[in-house]
Amino acid sequence: MPIKSNPDSWTDPRHVRGLKGEQVAMRYLSFAGWRIIDHRYRMGRLEIDVVARQGNVVAFIEVKTRWGSVFGQPVEAITWAKRRDLARVAQAWVDRRGRAAFVYRFDVIGVTLSTAGPHRVEHVEDAFRVGWR
């Protein structure tokens, strides 16, 4: 899926690292049999990194990317405020594109990038729940 802006013009290395992590996560998901429905689905200033579907399961996926574990594991970086924001955007996605037959869940994928070998991917399925599900 195309990015709406040109990553070559981005000046913040965190944004570039985040996009790299999302690309790694989407390759991982595709290899695992998931179909990517949306990438960087936005509602105002809020976004869901990846929306993916496998069978009747739709996962709203937050991708956290790090170069190492000095500041903790990537999947540990999801705060309650981030969960609240993800739930708001996910509800908007469901209202616009959802179907009654779908089962919805929130996943987290942690990507630890490596320059010396393969990147490390940790997929936490059904990582948290929100009230509307």
Side-chain angles (χ1 to χ4, degrees):
M1 291 189 184
I3 301 292
K4 291 184 173 99
S5 65
N6 181 1
D8 293 335
S9 67
W10 296 353
T11 57
D12 190 335
R14 294 172 300 176
H15 295 161
V16 175
R17 180 182 62 231
L19 177 60
K20 174 70 174 169
E22 291 164 6
Q23 292 168 335
V24 168
M26 288 188 293
R27 278 194 304 273
Y28 165 85
L29 290 165
S30 294
F31 185 74
W34 289 84
R35 185 169 63 89
I36 306 302
I37 299 173
D38 275 311
H39 176 222
R40 294 193 167 189
Y41 179 81
R42 295 193 67 85
M43 181 185 82
R45 65 170 186 77
L46 306 176
E47 81 174 14
I48 295 175
D49 294 330
V50 178
V51 181
R53 179 177 172 207
Q54 187 176 54
N56 72 331
V57 175
V58 173
F60 302 106
I61 303 167
E62 175 68 10
V63 179
K64 288 296 186 184
T65 308
R66 301 285 185 267
W67 276 110
S69 59
V70 173
F71 296 105
Q73 296 302 314
V75 297
E76 297 171 338
I78 310 296
T79 65
W80 69 268
K82 183 64 175 180
R83 291 177 186 184
R84 179 196 63 213
D85 292 346
L86 289 169
R88 290 179 58 203
V89 182
Q91 183 63 61
W93 189 95
V94 169
D95 291 346
R96 291 179 181 107
R97 303 190 58 193
R99 295 187 192 150
F102 288 164
V103 174
Y104 301 99
R105 73 181 196 203
F106 292 87
D107 290 5
V108 176
I109 294 182
V111 177
T112 304
L113 299 174
S114 172
T115 56
H119 306 303
R120 183 171 167 263
V121 176
E122 180 182 4
H123 184 185
V124 179
E125 298 178 356
D126 208 9
F128 62 91
R129 297 178 182 251
V130 297
W132 56 264
R133 301 185 349 162

